[in-house]
Amino acid sequence: MNLLPSHMSDFNVVPVCHDIQINGQTIGLHDSGILWWPEQSTLVVADMHLEKGSAYARRGVMLPPYDTAATLEKLAAVVYAFDPARIIALGDSFHDSHGSDRLPPAYRAMLATLQLDREWIWITGNHDPIAPVRLCGEAMDEVTIGALTFRHEPRADVHDAGRGEVCGHFHPAARVRRYGRSIRRSCFVTDGSRLVLPAFGALTGGLNVMDDAFSTLFEPRRFSAFLLGENRLYPFTAARLIAD
């Protein structure tokens, strides 16, 4: 099922992932920022923050109004490439609780097309704690599938128990120094039992994984970051990362 209109030819997604183990499960990390779990035919995306531009406009702060279009086109490209049976949106899918109600009809129709013949789970987030309005899919606070639990914000007690956790919320980014220059990219970050996905939205920023906010999630120097590149990921151990 081809979901991409002709004007989206720039989104040439190659469905090749960097495989890692999370709690004994083999999952794929993709350079678009999504997680692909082939055993479950499940695609996971975090922090789309749809309608962020319109949320700021309501407060008199004018941002480019194309964030939802860009994010949904990027999402459509990966959905077309992987053709998942299930999609999990890991919270903060909309920038605020009224974002889904502001969704323009064309974008609502596009999202509905992506949901056809697929299980769709909306995980609630701190920005969107209620179920989306007039959209298909099931809203949950978290969902456990096999050995992995998917939620928006990580829970310290789960990490201490060694159970597999996949989450978003922190918009991780990493900085490295290569060939005499500093490079900063959004990234996945993991220690093998917890995985934090990068933000997928077009207008989302990133928090450096060396920030103190990550110190409660991962033991110092005992995690890895996978920086998003063009058609590939760049893996680095924590020892190679630098603060902003």
Side-chain angles (χ1 to χ4, degrees), residues 184-204:
R184 191 182 197 273
R185 298 280 180 86
S186 295
C187 68
F188 298 89
V189 57
T190 182
D191 61 1
S193 61
R194 165 178 286 150
L195 172 68
V196 184
L197 271 64
F200 193 81
L203 284 183
T204 50

Side-chain angles (χ1 to χ4, degrees), residues 62-179:
M62 304 310 295
L63 295 177
Y66 309 114
D67 58 301
T68 296
T71 301
L72 287 181
E73 288 180 358
K74 181 182 171 187
L75 180 63
V78 295
V79 169
Y80 171 67
F82 288 92
D83 194 21
R86 178 194 294 122
I87 294 176
I88 300 175
L90 273 185
D92 286 2
S93 299
F94 292 88
H95 191 66
D96 60 68
S97 296
H98 304 289
S100 59
D101 201 32
R102 295 196 307 275
L103 200 63
Y107 301 156
R108 187 178 298 277
M110 186 176 182
L111 189 51
T113 300
L114 294 177
Q115 294 176 314
L116 284 174
D117 301 322
R118 294 186 172 90
E119 180 184 3
W120 191 291
I121 298 173
W122 299 102
I123 299 297
T124 55
N126 57 297
H127 279 262
D128 53 359
I130 61 175
V133 176
R134 292 181 286 126
L135 289 173
C136 297
E138 186 174 4
M140 301 180 179
D141 292 334
E142 61 181 53
V143 61
T144 297
I145 302 171
L148 300 179
T149 295
F150 300 85
R151 55 172 60 94
H152 179 61
E153 295 188 50
R155 282 175 44 188
D157 58 328
V158 171
H159 191 251
D160 293 342
R163 295 192 291 271
E165 180 184 65
V166 178
C167 52
H169 181 61
F170 280 92
H171 302 201
R175 185 181 294 278
V176 295
R177 193 174 301 281
R178 299 189 73 196
Y179 310 117

